[in-house]
Coordinates of all heavy atoms in Angstrom, one line a residue:
M20 N 9.2 -36.5 7.5 CA 8.0 -35.9 6.8 C 8.1 -34.4 6.9 O 7.8 -33.7 6.0 CB 6.7 -36.4 7.4 CG 5.5 -36.0 6.8 SD 5.4 -36.8 5.2 CE 3.8 -36.4 4.8
K21 N 8.4 -33.9 8.1 CA 8.5 -32.5 8.3 C 9.7 -31.9 7.5 O 9.5 -30.8 7.0 CB 8.7 -32.2 9.8 CG 8.5 -30.8 10.2 CD 8.4 -30.6 11.7 CE 8.1 -29.2 12.1 NZ 8.0 -29.0 13.5
L22 N 10.8 -32.6 7.4 CA 11.9 -32.1 6.6 C 11.6 -32.0 5.2 O 11.9 -31.0 4.5 CB 13.1 -33.0 6.8 CG 14.4 -32.7 6.1 CD1 14.9 -31.3 6.6 CD2 15.4 -33.8 6.2
I23 N 10.8 -33.0 4.6 CA 10.4 -32.9 3.2 C 9.5 -31.7 3.0 O 9.7 -31.0 2.0 CB 9.7 -34.2 2.9 CG1 10.7 -35.4 2.9 CG2 9.1 -34.1 1.5 CD1 10.0 -36.8 2.8
F24 N 8.6 -31.4 3.9 CA 7.7 -30.3 3.7 C 8.5 -29.0 3.8 O 8.3 -28.1 3.0 CB 6.7 -30.3 4.8 CG 5.8 -29.1 4.8 CD1 4.8 -29.0 3.8 CD2 5.9 -28.0 5.7 CE1 4.0 -27.9 3.7 CE2 5.1 -26.9 5.6 CZ 4.1 -26.8 4.6
K25 N 9.5 -28.9 4.6 CA 10.3 -27.7 4.7 C 11.1 -27.5 3.4 O 11.3 -26.4 2.9 CB 11.3 -27.7 5.9 CG 10.6 -27.5 7.2 CD 11.6 -27.2 8.3 CE 10.8 -26.9 9.6 NZ 11.1 -25.7 10.1
I26 N 11.7 -28.6 2.9 CA 12.4 -28.5 1.6 C 11.5 -28.1 0.5 O 11.9 -27.3 -0.4 CB 13.1 -29.8 1.3 CG1 14.2 -30.1 2.3 CG2 13.7 -29.9 -0.1 CD1 14.9 -31.4 2.3
L27 N 10.3 -28.6 0.4 CA 9.4 -28.2 -0.6 C 8.8 -26.8 -0.5 O 8.4 -26.2 -1.5 CB 8.2 -29.2 -0.7 CG 8.6 -30.7 -1.1 CD1 7.4 -31.6 -1.0 CD2 9.1 -30.6 -2.6
S28 N 8.8 -26.3 0.7 CA 8.2 -25.0 0.9 C 9.2 -23.9 0.7 O 8.8 -22.7 0.7 CB 7.6 -24.9 2.3 OG 8.6 -25.0 3.3
V29 N 10.5 -24.2 0.6 CA 11.5 -23.1 0.5 C 11.3 -22.3 -0.8 O 11.4 -21.1 -0.7 CB 12.9 -23.8 0.5 CG1 14.0 -22.8 0.1 CG2 13.2 -24.2 1.9
P30 N 11.0 -22.9 -1.9 CA 10.8 -22.0 -3.1 C 9.6 -21.1 -3.0 O 9.6 -19.9 -3.4 CB 10.6 -23.0 -4.3 CG 11.2 -24.3 -3.8 CD 11.1 -24.3 -2.3
I31 N 8.5 -21.6 -2.3 CA 7.3 -20.8 -2.1 C 7.6 -19.6 -1.2 O 7.2 -18.5 -1.5 CB 6.2 -21.7 -1.5 CG1 5.8 -22.7 -2.6 CG2 5.0 -20.8 -1.2 CD1 4.9 -23.8 -2.0
I32 N 8.4 -19.9 -0.1 CA 8.7 -18.8 0.8 C 9.6 -17.8 0.1 O 9.5 -16.6 0.3 CB 9.4 -19.4 2.1 CG1 8.4 -20.2 2.9 CG2 10.0 -18.3 2.9 CD1 9.0 -21.0 4.0
L33 N 10.6 -18.3 -0.7 CA 11.5 -17.4 -1.4 C 10.7 -16.5 -2.4 O 10.9 -15.2 -2.4 CB 12.5 -18.2 -2.2 CG 13.5 -17.4 -3.0 CD1 14.4 -16.6 -2.0 CD2 14.4 -18.3 -3.8
V34 N 9.7 -17.0 -3.1 CA 8.9 -16.2 -4.0 C 8.1 -15.2 -3.2 O 8.0 -14.0 -3.6 CB 8.0 -17.1 -4.9 CG1 6.9 -16.3 -5.6 CG2 8.8 -17.9 -5.8
I35 N 7.5 -15.6 -2.1 CA 6.7 -14.6 -1.3 C 7.6 -13.5 -0.8 O 7.2 -12.4 -0.8 CB 6.0 -15.4 -0.2 CG1 4.9 -16.3 -0.8 CG2 5.3 -14.4 0.8 CD1 4.2 -17.2 0.2
D36 N 8.8 -13.9 -0.3 CA 9.7 -12.9 0.3 C 10.2 -11.9 -0.8 O 10.3 -10.7 -0.5 CB 10.8 -13.5 1.0 CG 10.4 -14.2 2.3 OD1 9.3 -13.8 2.8 OD2 11.2 -15.0 2.8
L37 N 10.5 -12.4 -2.0 CA 10.9 -11.5 -3.1 C 9.8 -10.6 -3.5 O 10.0 -9.4 -3.8 CB 11.5 -12.3 -4.2 CG 12.8 -13.0 -4.0 CD1 13.2 -13.8 -5.2 CD2 13.9 -11.9 -3.8
F38 N 8.6 -11.2 -3.6 CA 7.4 -10.4 -4.0 C 7.2 -9.3 -2.9 O 6.9 -8.1 -3.3 CB 6.1 -11.3 -4.0 CG 4.9 -10.5 -4.2 CD1 4.6 -10.0 -5.5 CD2 4.0 -10.4 -3.2 CE1 3.4 -9.3 -5.7 CE2 2.8 -9.7 -3.4 CZ 2.5 -9.2 -4.6
T39 N 7.3 -9.6 -1.7 CA 7.1 -8.6 -0.6 C 8.2 -7.5 -0.7 O 7.9 -6.3 -0.5 CB 7.2 -9.3 0.8 OG1 6.3 -10.4 0.8 CG2 7.0 -8.3 1.9
L40 N 9.4 -7.9 -1.0 CA 10.5 -6.9 -1.1 C 10.2 -5.9 -2.3 O 10.4 -4.7 -2.1 CB 11.8 -7.6 -1.3 CG 13.1 -6.7 -1.4 CD1 13.3 -6.0 0.0 CD2 14.3 -7.6 -1.7
V41 N 9.8 -6.5 -3.4 CA 9.5 -5.6 -4.6 C 8.3 -4.7 -4.2 O 8.3 -3.5 -4.6 CB 9.2 -6.5 -5.8 CG1 8.6 -5.7 -6.9 CG2 10.4 -7.2 -6.3
C42 N 7.3 -5.2 -3.6 CA 6.1 -4.4 -3.2 C 6.5 -3.3 -2.2 O 6.0 -2.2 -2.3 CB 5.0 -5.3 -2.7 SG 4.2 -6.2 -3.9
I43 N 7.4 -3.6 -1.3 CA 7.8 -2.5 -0.3 C 8.5 -1.4 -1.1 O 8.3 -0.2 -0.8 CB 8.7 -3.1 0.7 CG1 7.9 -4.0 1.7 CG2 9.5 -2.1 1.5 CD1 8.7 -4.8 2.7
G44 N 9.4 -1.8 -2.1 CA 10.0 -0.8 -2.9 C 9.1 0.1 -3.7 O 9.2 1.3 -3.8
L45 N 8.1 -0.6 -4.3 CA 7.1 0.2 -5.1 C 6.3 1.1 -4.2 O 6.0 2.2 -4.6 CB 6.2 -0.8 -5.8 CG 6.7 -1.5 -7.0 CD1 5.8 -2.6 -7.5 CD2 7.1 -0.5 -8.1
I46 N 5.9 0.6 -3.0 CA 5.1 1.5 -2.1 C 5.9 2.7 -1.7 O 5.4 3.8 -1.6 CB 4.6 0.7 -0.9 CG1 3.5 -0.3 -1.3 CG2 4.1 1.6 0.2 CD1 3.1 -1.3 -0.2
S47 N 7.2 2.5 -1.3 CA 8.0 3.6 -0.9 C 8.3 4.6 -2.0 O 8.3 5.8 -1.8 CB 9.4 3.0 -0.4 OG 9.2 2.2 0.7
F48 N 8.5 4.1 -3.3 CA 8.7 4.9 -4.4 C 7.5 5.7 -4.8 O 7.6 6.9 -5.1 CB 9.2 4.1 -5.6 CG 9.5 4.9 -6.8 CD1 10.7 5.7 -6.8 CD2 8.7 4.9 -7.9 CE1 11.0 6.4 -8.0 CE2 9.0 5.6 -9.0 CZ 10.2 6.4 -9.1
S49 N 6.3 5.1 -4.8 CA 5.1 5.8 -5.2 C 4.6 6.7 -4.1 O 3.8 7.6 -4.4 CB 4.0 4.8 -5.6 OG 3.6 4.0 -4.4
A50 N 5.0 6.5 -2.9 CA 4.5 7.4 -1.8 C 4.9 8.8 -2.0 O 4.1 9.7 -1.6 CB 5.0 6.8 -0.4
F51 N 6.1 9.0 -2.5 CA 6.6 10.4 -2.7 C 5.6 11.1 -3.7 O 5.2 12.2 -3.5 CB 8.0 10.4 -3.3 CG 8.5 11.7 -3.7 CD1 8.8 12.7 -2.8 CD2 8.6 12.0 -5.0 CE1 9.3 13.9 -3.2 CE2 9.1 13.2 -5.5 CZ 9.4 14.2 -4.5
F52 N 5.3 10.5 -4.9 CA 4.5 11.1 -5.9 C 3.1 11.2 -5.4 O 2.4 12.2 -5.7 CB 4.6 10.3 -7.2 CG 6.0 10.3 -7.8 CD1 6.7 9.1 -7.7 CD2 6.5 11.4 -8.3 CE1 8.0 9.1 -8.3 CE2 7.8 11.4 -8.8 CZ 8.5 10.2 -8.8
L53 N 2.6 10.2 -4.7 CA 1.2 10.4 -4.2 C 1.1 11.5 -3.1 O 0.1 12.1 -3.0 CB 0.8 9.0 -3.6 CG 0.5 7.9 -4.6 CD1 0.1 6.6 -3.9 CD2 -0.6 8.3 -5.5
R54 N 2.1 11.7 -2.4 CA 2.1 12.8 -1.4 C 2.1 14.2 -2.1 O 1.3 15.1 -1.7 CB 3.4 12.7 -0.5 CG 3.3 13.6 0.7 CD 4.5 13.4 1.6 NE 4.7 12.0 1.9 CZ 5.9 11.3 1.8 NH1 6.9 12.0 1.4 NH2 6.0 10.1 2.1
L55 N 2.8 14.3 -3.2 CA 2.7 15.5 -4.0 C 1.3 15.7 -4.6 O 0.8 16.8 -4.5 CB 3.7 15.5 -5.2 CG 5.2 15.7 -4.8 CD1 6.1 15.5 -6.0 CD2 5.4 17.0 -4.1
V56 N 0.8 14.7 -5.2 CA -0.6 14.8 -5.8 C -1.6 15.1 -4.7 O -2.5 15.9 -4.9 CB -0.9 13.4 -6.5 CG1 -2.4 13.4 -6.9 CG2 -0.1 13.3 -7.7
S57 N -1.5 14.5 -3.5 CA -2.4 14.7 -2.4 C -2.3 16.2 -2.0 O -3.4 16.8 -1.7 CB -2.0 13.8 -1.3 OG -2.8 14.2 -0.1
G58 N -1.2 16.7 -1.9 CA -1.0 18.1 -1.5 C -1.6 19.1 -2.5 O -2.4 20.0 -2.1
I59 N -1.4 18.8 -3.8 CA -2.0 19.7 -4.8 C -3.5 19.6 -4.9 O -4.2 20.6 -4.9 CB -1.3 19.4 -6.2 CG1 0.1 19.7 -6.2 CG2 -2.1 20.1 -7.3 CD1 0.9 19.2 -7.4
V60 N -4.0 18.4 -4.8 CA -5.4 18.2 -4.9 C -6.1 18.7 -3.6 O -7.2 19.3 -3.6 CB -5.8 16.7 -5.1 CG1 -7.3 16.5 -5.0 CG2 -5.3 16.3 -6.5
G61 N -5.4 18.6 -2.5 CA -5.9 19.1 -1.2 C -6.1 20.7 -1.2 O -7.1 21.2 -0.8
I62 N -5.0 21.3 -1.7 CA -5.1 22.8 -1.8 C -6.2 23.2 -2.8 O -7.0 24.1 -2.6 CB -3.7 23.4 -2.3 CG1 -2.7 23.2 -1.1 CG2 -3.8 24.8 -2.7 CD1 -1.3 23.5 -1.5
L63 N -6.3 22.5 -4.0 CA -7.3 22.8 -4.9 C -8.7 22.5 -4.3 O -9.7 23.3 -4.5 CB -7.1 21.9 -6.2 CG -8.1 22.1 -7.3 CD1 -8.0 23.5 -7.9 CD2 -7.9 21.0 -8.4
G64 N -8.8 21.5 -3.5 CA -10.1 21.2 -2.9 C -10.6 22.2 -1.9 O -11.7 22.6 -1.8
V65 N -9.6 22.8 -1.2 CA -10.0 23.9 -0.2 C -10.4 25.1 -1.0 O -11.4 25.8 -0.6 CB -8.8 24.2 0.7 CG1 -9.0 25.5 1.5 CG2 -8.5 23.0 1.6
F66 N -9.7 25.4 -2.1 CA -10.1 26.6 -2.9 C -11.5 26.4 -3.5 O -12.3 27.3 -3.5 CB -9.1 26.9 -4.0 CG -7.9 27.6 -3.5 CD1 -6.6 27.1 -4.0 CD2 -7.9 28.6 -2.6 CE1 -5.4 27.7 -3.5 CE2 -6.7 29.2 -2.1 CZ -5.5 28.8 -2.6
V67 N -11.8 25.2 -4.0 CA -13.1 24.9 -4.6 C -14.1 25.0 -3.5 O -15.3 25.4 -3.7 CB -13.1 23.6 -5.4 CG1 -14.5 23.2 -5.7 CG2 -12.2 23.7 -6.6
L68 N -13.8 24.4 -2.3 CA -14.8 24.4 -1.2 C -15.2 25.8 -0.8 O -16.4 26.1 -0.6 CB -14.1 23.7 0.0 CG -15.0 23.5 1.2 CD1 -16.0 22.4 0.9 CD2 -14.1 23.0 2.4
V69 N -14.2 26.7 -0.8 CA -14.5 28.1 -0.4 C -15.1 28.9 -1.5 O -16.1 29.7 -1.2 CB -13.2 28.8 0.1 CG1 -13.4 30.2 0.4 CG2 -12.6 28.1 1.3
T70 N -14.7 28.8 -2.7 CA -15.1 29.7 -3.8 C -16.3 29.2 -4.6 O -17.1 29.9 -5.0 CB -14.0 30.0 -4.7 OG1 -13.5 28.8 -5.3 CG2 -12.9 30.8 -3.9
Y71 N -16.3 27.9 -4.9 CA -17.2 27.4 -6.0 C -18.4 26.6 -5.4 O -19.5 27.0 -5.4 CB -16.4 26.6 -7.0 CG -17.3 26.1 -8.2 CD1 -17.9 26.9 -9.0 CD2 -17.4 24.7 -8.3 CE1 -18.7 26.5 -10.1 CE2 -18.2 24.2 -9.4 CZ -18.8 25.1 -10.2 OH -19.6 24.6 -11.2
S72 N -18.1 25.4 -4.9 CA -19.1 24.4 -4.5 C -18.6 23.6 -3.4 O -17.5 23.0 -3.4 CB -19.5 23.5 -5.7 OG -20.3 22.5 -5.3
V73 N -19.5 23.5 -2.4 CA -19.1 22.6 -1.2 C -19.0 21.2 -1.6 O -18.1 20.5 -1.2 CB -20.2 22.8 -0.1 CG1 -19.9 21.9 1.1 CG2 -20.1 24.3 0.4
K74 N -19.9 20.7 -2.4 CA -20.0 19.3 -2.9 C -18.7 18.9 -3.6 O -18.0 17.9 -3.3 CB -21.2 19.0 -3.7 CG -21.3 17.7 -4.3 CD -22.5 17.5 -5.1 CE -22.3 16.5 -6.2 NZ -23.5 16.5 -7.1
N75 N -18.3 19.8 -4.6 CA -17.1 19.5 -5.4 C -15.8 19.6 -4.5 O -14.9 18.9 -4.7 CB -17.0 20.4 -6.6 CG -18.1 20.1 -7.6 OD1 -18.6 19.0 -7.6 ND2 -18.5 21.1 -8.4
G76 N -15.8 20.5 -3.6 CA -14.7 20.7 -2.7 C -14.5 19.5 -1.8 O -13.4 19.0 -1.6
L77 N -15.6 18.9 -1.3 CA -15.5 17.7 -0.5 C -15.1 16.5 -1.3 O -14.4 15.7 -0.8 CB -16.9 17.5 0.2 CG -17.2 18.5 1.3 CD1 -18.6 18.2 1.8 CD2 -16.2 18.5 2.4
I78 N -15.5 16.5 -2.5 CA -15.1 15.4 -3.4 C -13.6 15.4 -3.6 O -12.9 14.4 -3.5 CB -15.8 15.4 -4.7 CG1 -17.3 15.0 -4.5 CG2 -15.2 14.5 -5.8 CD1 -18.2 15.2 -5.7
L79 N -13.1 16.6 -3.9 CA -11.6 16.8 -4.1 C -10.8 16.5 -2.8 O -9.8 15.9 -2.8 CB -11.3 18.2 -4.6 CG -11.6 18.5 -6.0 CD1 -11.4 19.9 -6.4 CD2 -10.8 17.6 -6.9
L80 N -11.4 16.9 -1.7 CA -10.7 16.6 -0.4 C -10.7 15.1 -0.1 O -9.7 14.6 0.5 CB -11.3 17.4 0.7 CG -11.0 18.9 0.7 CD1 -11.9 19.6 1.8 CD2 -9.6 19.2 0.9
T81 N -11.7 14.4 -0.5 CA -11.8 13.0 -0.3 C -10.7 12.3 -1.2 O -10.0 11.4 -0.8 CB -13.2 12.4 -0.6 OG1 -14.1 13.1 0.2 CG2 -13.2 10.9 -0.4
I82 N -10.6 12.8 -2.4 CA -9.6 12.2 -3.3 C -8.2 12.5 -2.8 O -7.3 11.7 -2.8 CB -9.8 12.8 -4.7 CG1 -11.1 12.3 -5.4 CG2 -8.6 12.5 -5.6 CD1 -11.5 12.9 -6.7
A83 N -8.0 13.7 -2.2 CA -6.7 14.1 -1.6 C -6.4 13.1 -0.5 O -5.2 12.7 -0.3 CB -6.7 15.5 -1.2
F84 N -7.4 12.8 0.3 CA -7.2 11.9 1.4 C -6.8 10.5 0.9 O -5.9 9.8 1.5 CB -8.4 11.8 2.3 CG -8.3 10.7 3.4 CD1 -7.5 10.9 4.5 CD2 -8.9 9.5 3.2 CE1 -7.3 9.9 5.4 CE2 -8.8 8.5 4.2 CZ -8.0 8.7 5.3
L85 N -7.4 10.0 -0.1 CA -7.1 8.7 -0.6 C -5.7 8.7 -1.2 O -5.0 7.6 -1.1 CB -8.1 8.3 -1.7 CG -9.5 7.9 -1.3 CD1 -10.4 7.7 -2.5 CD2 -9.4 6.7 -0.4
F86 N -5.2 9.8 -1.7 CA -3.8 9.8 -2.3 C -2.8 10.1 -1.2 O -1.6 10.0 -1.4 CB -3.7 10.8 -3.4 CG -4.3 10.4 -4.7 CD1 -4.8 11.3 -5.5 CD2 -4.3 9.1 -5.0 CE1 -5.4 10.9 -6.7 CE2 -4.8 8.6 -6.2 CZ -5.3 9.6 -7.1
S87 N -3.2 10.5 0.0 CA -2.3 10.8 1.1 C -1.7 9.5 1.6 O -2.2 8.4 1.3 CB -3.0 11.5 2.2 OG -3.9 10.6 2.9
P88 N -0.6 9.6 2.4 CA 0.0 8.4 3.0 C -1.0 7.6 3.9 O -0.7 6.4 4.2 CB 1.2 8.9 3.8 CG 1.5 10.2 3.1 CD 0.2 10.8 2.7
M89 N -2.1 8.2 4.3 CA -3.0 7.4 5.2 C -4.1 6.8 4.4 O -5.0 6.1 4.9 CB -3.6 8.4 6.2 CG -2.7 8.9 7.2 SD -1.8 7.7 8.1 CE -3.1 7.0 9.1
G90 N -4.1 6.9 3.0 CA -5.2 6.4 2.2 C -4.8 5.1 1.5 O -4.6 4.0 2.2
I91 N -4.6 5.1 0.2 CA -4.3 3.9 -0.6 C -3.0 3.3 -0.2 O -2.9 2.1 -0.1 CB -4.4 4.3 -2.1 CG1 -5.8 4.6 -2.4 CG2 -3.9 3.1 -2.9 CD1 -6.0 5.1 -3.8
P92 N -1.9 4.1 0.1 CA -0.6 3.4 0.5 C -0.8 2.7 1.8 O -0.1 1.6 2.0 CB 0.4 4.6 0.6 CG -0.2 5.6 -0.3 CD -1.6 5.5 -0.2
M93 N -1.6 3.1 2.7 CA -1.8 2.4 4.0 C -2.5 1.1 3.8 O -2.2 0.1 4.4 CB -2.5 3.3 5.0 CG -2.6 2.7 6.4 SD -1.0 2.5 7.1 CE -0.5 4.1 7.5
I94 N -3.5 1.1 2.9 CA -4.2 -0.1 2.5 C -3.2 -1.1 1.9 O -3.3 -2.3 2.3 CB -5.4 0.2 1.6 CG1 -6.4 1.0 2.3 CG2 -6.0 -1.1 1.0 CD1 -7.5 1.6 1.3
A95 N -2.4 -0.7 1.0 CA -1.4 -1.5 0.4 C -0.4 -2.1 1.5 O 0.0 -3.3 1.4 CB -0.6 -0.8 -0.6
A96 N 0.0 -1.3 2.5 CA 0.9 -1.7 3.5 C 0.2 -2.8 4.4 O 0.8 -3.8 4.8 CB 1.3 -0.5 4.4
H97 N -1.1 -2.6 4.7 CA -1.8 -3.6 5.5 C -1.9 -5.0 4.7 O -1.8 -6.0 5.3 CB -3.2 -3.1 5.9 CG -3.2 -2.2 7.0 ND1 -2.8 -2.5 8.3 CD2 -3.5 -0.9 7.1 CE1 -2.9 -1.5 9.1 NE2 -3.3 -0.5 8.4
L98 N -2.2 -4.9 3.4 CA -2.3 -6.1 2.6 C -0.9 -6.8 2.5 O -0.8 -8.0 2.6 CB -2.8 -5.8 1.2 CG -4.2 -5.4 1.0 CD1 -4.5 -4.9 -0.4 CD2 -5.1 -6.5 1.5
L99 N 0.1 -6.0 2.4 CA 1.5 -6.5 2.4 C 1.9 -7.2 3.7 O 2.5 -8.2 3.8 CB 2.5 -5.4 2.0 CG 3.8 -5.9 1.6 CD1 3.7 -6.8 0.4 CD2 4.7 -4.7 1.2
A100 N 1.4 -6.6 4.8 CA 1.6 -7.2 6.1 C 0.9 -8.6 6.2 O 1.5 -9.5 6.8 CB 1.1 -6.3 7.2
G101 N -0.2 -8.7 5.6 CA -0.9 -10.0 5.6 C -0.1 -11.0 4.8 O -0.1 -12.2 5.2
V102 N 0.5 -10.6 3.7 CA 1.3 -11.5 2.9 C 2.5 -12.0 3.7 O 2.9 -13.1 3.7 CB 1.7 -10.9 1.6 CG1 2.7 -11.7 0.8 CG2 0.5 -10.7 0.7
Q103 N 3.1 -11.0 4.4 CA 4.3 -11.4 5.3 C 3.9 -12.3 6.4 O 4.7 -13.2 6.8 CB 4.9 -10.1 5.8 CG 5.7 -9.3 4.8 CD 6.2 -8.0 5.4 OE1 5.7 -7.5 6.4 NE2 7.3 -7.5 4.9
H104 N 2.7 -12.1 6.9 CA 2.2 -13.0 8.0 C 2.0 -14.5 7.4 O 2.4 -15.4 8.1 CB 0.9 -12.5 8.5 CG 0.3 -13.4 9.6 ND1 0.9 -13.5 10.8 CD2 -0.8 -14.2 9.6 CE1 0.2 -14.3 11.6 NE2 -0.8 -14.7 10.9
I105 N 1.5 -14.6 6.2 CA 1.4 -15.9 5.6 C 2.8 -16.5 5.4 O 3.0 -17.7 5.7 CB 0.7 -15.8 4.2 CG1 -0.8 -15.4 4.5 CG2 0.8 -17.1 3.4 CD1 -1.5 -15.1 3.2
S106 N 3.8 -15.7 4.9 CA 5.1 -16.3 4.8 C 5.7 -16.7 6.1 O 6.3 -17.8 6.2 CB 6.0 -15.2 4.2 OG 7.3 -15.6 4.1
S107 N 5.5 -16.0 7.1 CA 6.1 -16.4 8.4 C 5.3 -17.6 9.0 O 5.9 -18.4 9.7 CB 6.0 -15.2 9.4 OG 4.7 -14.9 9.7
A108 N 4.0 -17.7 8.7 CA 3.3 -18.9 9.1 C 3.8 -20.2 8.4 O 3.9 -21.2 9.1 CB 1.8 -18.7 8.9
I109 N 4.1 -20.0 7.1 CA 4.7 -21.2 6.4 C 6.1 -21.5 7.0 O 6.4 -22.7 7.1 CB 4.7 -20.9 4.9 CG1 3.3 -20.8 4.3 CG2 5.5 -22.0 4.2 CD1 3.3 -20.4 2.9
K110 N 6.9 -20.5 7.3 CA 8.2 -20.8 7.9 C 8.1 -21.5 9.2 O 9.0 -22.3 9.6 CB 8.9 -19.5 8.1 CG 9.4 -18.8 6.8 CD 10.1 -17.5 7.1 CE 10.4 -16.8 5.8 NZ 11.0 -15.5 6.1
N111 N 7.1 -21.2 10.0 CA 7.0 -21.8 11.3 C 6.4 -23.2 11.3 O 6.4 -23.9 12.4 CB 6.1 -20.9 12.3 CG 6.8 -19.6 12.6 OD1 8.1 -19.6 12.6 ND2 6.1 -18.6 12.8
L112 N 5.9 -23.7 10.2 CA 5.4 -25.0 10.2 C 6.4 -26.0 10.2 O 7.3 -26.4 10.1 CB 4.5 -25.2 8.9 CG 3.2 -24.5 8.9 CD1 2.5 -24.8 7.6 CD2 2.3 -25.0 10.0

């Protein structure tokens, strides 16, 4: 019974692992561009904060944080770790 389950779960594990691999590549590729956007928006946010409006400057700095490697890419990495955990749980059954 356990052998049959392992044989049936191999395609599911393969799809999850390939999906994880593609997502890791996308996160790595997009992190470079998001880092550039974050830097530009961060500098613009500081200038707006100092010269124009505190509220608009803080909004731009928040957007810069979301585009930084600690924002949206980190959320994606945590979700991807959850998918990898599911894959390893299926493998251990």
Side-chain angles (χ1 to χ4, degrees):
M20 186 72 167
K21 194 172 185 179
L22 181 64
I23 293 171
F24 178 73
K25 285 193 180 237
I26 291 172
L27 292 176
S28 66
V29 167
I31 296 169
I32 293 170
L33 182 64
V34 168
I35 291 173
D36 288 344
L37 287 175
F38 174 75
T39 304
L40 184 65
V41 169
C42 287
I43 288 171
L45 285 173
I46 290 171
S47 298
F48 182 71
S49 66
F51 173 73
F52 296 109
L53 288 177
R54 196 174 306 129
L55 287 175
V56 170
S57 173
I59 293 169
V60 173
I62 291 170
L63 181 65
V65 170
F66 285 136
V67 169
L68 183 72
V69 171
T70 60
Y71 180 66
S72 168
V73 174
K74 177 181 150 186
N75 291 338
L77 290 176
I78 289 171
L79 284 173
L80 288 174
T81 304
I82 291 170
F84 172 74
L85 287 176
F86 285 147
S87 73
M89 295 304 291
I91 294 172
M93 187 62 72
I94 294 170
H97 282 294
L98 291 174
L99 198 56
V102 171
Q103 286 177 333
H104 180 69
I105 291 171
S106 175
S107 66
I109 292 173
K110 287 178 187 175
N111 290 332
L112 287 178

